[in-house]
Amino acid sequence: MSFDQYHEPANELSDETRTFARMIVSLTEEAEAINWYEQRISVEKDNQAKAIMQNAQQEEFKHFGMDLEFLLRKNRYGVLRCRLFFLKRVILLSWAPKVKKRQNNSHFYIFNTIVLSSLY
């Protein structure tokens, strides 16, 4: 993405807003890189090359997470919205039973447990 990423005149934007915009672009670039690696990995036949690509993709996930964490720390409303979004899904997943059959054909239930670290 080029430097004409602003919707308002850049000289009228605060330093914080310009940094926020750069981090949004960085987040987008990391997501694109994750996608590119996923596509390359899916077609790669050489296991050693695939392992290298998988390692590189994990680095892109780390960078994506770092960018997202920075953006959420800078925007408290964003943190609250994301926490609510994830909390709803954790509650649903935590209490959604999975039915498993025993060898004697009786059923028992397994409940998923998910732990999310703080988004602060």
Side-chain angles (χ1 to χ4, degrees):
M1 213 174 254
S2 66
F3 287 104
D4 61 345
Q5 64 196 2
Y6 305 116
H7 295 282
E8 301 295 331
N11 61 341
E12 293 181 22
L13 299 173
S14 69
D15 288 343
E16 293 82 14
T17 299
R18 289 196 310 270
T19 296
F20 196 85
R22 282 192 293 273
M23 292 303 291
I24 291 287
V25 170
S26 180
L27 183 74
T28 303
E29 291 169 349
E30 299 300 342
E32 288 176 347
I34 291 166
N35 179 39
W36 295 336
Y37 278 116
E38 188 66 27
Q39 292 177 40
R40 291 173 188 153
I41 290 165
S42 74
V43 297
E44 182 56 54
K45 305 291 186 228
D46 185 288
N47 287 335
Q48 287 179 329
K50 186 181 279 194
I52 291 168
M53 288 182 232
Q54 288 169 331
N55 182 273
Q57 185 188 45
Q58 291 305 310
E59 286 298 309
E60 301 301 344
F61 271 110
K62 182 177 81 172
H63 300 156
F64 180 89
M66 291 166 60
D67 288 350
L68 181 60
E69 189 268 338
F70 175 87
L71 291 165
L72 291 175
R73 264 191 297 112
K74 295 298 183 178
N75 184 321
R76 297 311 258 166
Y77 179 74
V79 169
L80 294 174
R81 292 298 301 158
C82 284
R83 292 183 104 196
L84 287 172
F85 175 83
F86 288 121
L87 183 61
K88 285 180 189 175
R89 276 131 189 92
V90 168
I91 290 170
L92 290 175
L93 288 174
S94 294
W95 295 105
K98 286 188 177 181
V99 179
K100 296 267 185 169
K101 280 195 172 185
R102 293 186 175 137
Q103 285 181 334
N104 64 1
N105 285 334
S106 65
H107 295 85
F108 67 99
Y109 295 91
I110 298 175
F111 290 88
N112 295 329
T113 304
I114 295 177
V115 177
L116 292 178
S117 61
S118 172
L119 292 175
Y120 294 100

